[in-house]
Amino acid sequence: MSPYIYGKRNLIHIIDIRETVKGLLRAKNFVSRMVGTGKDVLFVGTKRQAKAAVVECATRVEMPYVTERWLGGTLTNFRTIRSRLGRLDELEAEAADGTISEYSKKAIASRTRELRKIKRNLEGIRKMDKLPGALIIIDVHREHIAVREARKLHIPTVCLIDTDSDPDFADIPIPGNDDAMRSIEVILSHLGEAVEAGKRGRRSPEGADEDASQATRRSERGTTARAEPQAEESDSADKPPAEAALSPRAGEGEKVPGAVADSSMVPETTP
């Protein structure tokens, strides 16, 4: 982290704010382009200082998040995670229609604990039906399992890193204080704006098809308009000299080469 440290005061390292701004701008551009292509980003922050900020930012931009314990295999064993989410839907359906009351007290208590545990750990990724395009991670040192899974699947990571972290684990590092709530809120607010900008740049399939059809119609109209003058020129060129002379474009009294003279102008001949 030495390239990102401005100095040292009272045994506390001070991060260079210029490096923080550079990393934040790179991260915003990357996240905006990634979301604009239709992919989602996963917010990860399980430390106490980051939970509230991560939930607020991810909920506002409608993106998945993880604020409780990172379950091993959340990315590398995503099929099993989806099956657990199916189990969550099943347990919630039983609680909603009253079917759970048909079980014994022990079974009811067991199912209630299972429902509470799955919901606490997986509620944030409940609507994530595919792997994310990128991860936004608070504190690389704490979320090392998530970083390793993302690297194994070649998923890029945007990480807020402090002086006790290794920047080599982050594809786009943002040097900053990952322990202060205010610092985390500021970084997440800017990244949330980048996500919103990328979502505004998304184009729906219906809109893309409509634009393509309009472009096709415009090109057809342009081709037809260009073809009509060419057709008129070719018709005039194909006419014989006499027809060209008698065409309306030939002025009255004009002598057109190859034209037939008027009979009144032919001199009379004596026998």
Side-chain angles (χ1 to χ4, degrees), residues 69-95:
R69 185 174 67 90
W70 177 272
L71 299 179
T74 300
L75 298 179
T76 54
N77 197 11
F78 188 64
R79 182 178 301 176
T80 302
I81 298 298
R82 291 302 306 172
S83 66
R84 298 304 296 166
L85 290 172
R87 176 62 175 171
L88 175 61
D89 294 336
E90 180 183 347
L91 293 173
E92 287 183 343
E94 289 182 353

Side-chain angles (χ1 to χ4, degrees), residues 194-224:
V195 173
E196 291 178 341
K199 292 181 71 174
R200 288 194 298 269
R202 288 180 178 179
R203 300 179 63 185
S204 61
E206 294 81 2
D209 295 341
E210 183 178 356
D211 293 344
S213 61
Q214 291 179 357
T216 304
R217 289 197 296 270
R218 286 196 297 269
S219 63
E220 290 177 353
R221 288 199 299 268
T223 305
T224 306

Side-chain angles (χ1 to χ4, degrees), residues 174-235:
I174 305 176
N177 189 348
D178 59 8
D179 293 322
M181 296 177 62
R182 180 58 181 163
S183 173
I184 296 172
E185 290 174 357
V186 170
I187 297 297
L188 288 179
S189 65
H190 284 280
L191 295 178
E193 292 175 359
V195 173
E196 291 178 341
K199 292 181 71 174
R200 288 194 298 269
R202 288 180 178 179
R203 300 179 63 185
S204 61
E206 294 81 2
D209 295 341
E210 183 178 356
D211 293 344
S213 61
Q214 291 179 357
T216 304
R217 289 197 296 270
R218 286 196 297 269
S219 63
E220 290 177 353
R221 288 199 299 268
T223 305
T224 306
R226 289 193 299 270
E228 288 177 353
Q230 294 177 0
E232 291 180 359
E233 294 177 1
S234 61
D235 292 343

Side-chain angles (χ1 to χ4, degrees), residues 106-163:
K106 184 177 180 180
I108 293 175
S110 175
R111 288 172 178 268
T112 303
R113 283 195 305 269
E114 184 181 4
L115 171 63
R116 186 167 57 250
K117 182 178 180 180
I118 298 176
K119 191 170 184 178
R120 183 179 65 249
N121 293 328
L122 302 179
E123 178 66 22
I125 60 174
R126 190 166 187 173
K127 297 181 180 179
M128 189 176 73
D129 55 355
K130 60 181 179 180
L131 290 175
L135 267 66
I136 297 177
I137 298 177
I138 307 298
D139 193 350
V140 173
H141 183 69
R142 183 183 179 91
E143 313 297 343
H144 62 94
I145 299 177
V147 173
R148 292 180 185 277
E149 289 190 19
R151 290 172 66 90
K152 187 174 182 179
L153 297 176
H154 304 288
I155 298 176
T157 56
V158 177
C159 306
L160 177 62
I161 54 176
D162 209 335
T163 54

Side-chain angles (χ1 to χ4, degrees), residues 21-43 57-58 60-63 134-136 158 172 174 185-202:
V21 173
K22 290 179 183 178
L24 185 58
L25 291 177
R26 287 195 296 266
K28 290 180 66 175
N29 293 333
F30 169 76
V31 170
S32 180
R33 292 196 304 268
M34 177 66 68
V35 176
T37 59
K39 298 180 180 179
D40 294 340
V41 294
L42 175 62
F43 290 80
C57 179
R60 176 167 53 88
V61 298
E62 298 179 352
M63 289 292 170
L135 267 66
I136 297 177
V158 177
I172 301 180
I174 305 176
E185 290 174 357
V186 170
I187 297 297
L188 288 179
S189 65
H190 284 280
L191 295 178
E193 292 175 359
V195 173
E196 291 178 341
K199 292 181 71 174
R200 288 194 298 269
R202 288 180 178 179

Side-chain angles (χ1 to χ4, degrees), residues 2-21:
S2 59
Y4 306 110
I5 296 177
Y6 176 76
K8 183 178 178 181
R9 184 179 301 170
N10 298 330
L11 301 180
I12 298 176
H13 290 98
I14 301 174
I15 296 176
D16 191 349
I17 190 64
R18 294 171 297 182
E19 297 296 331
T20 303
V21 173

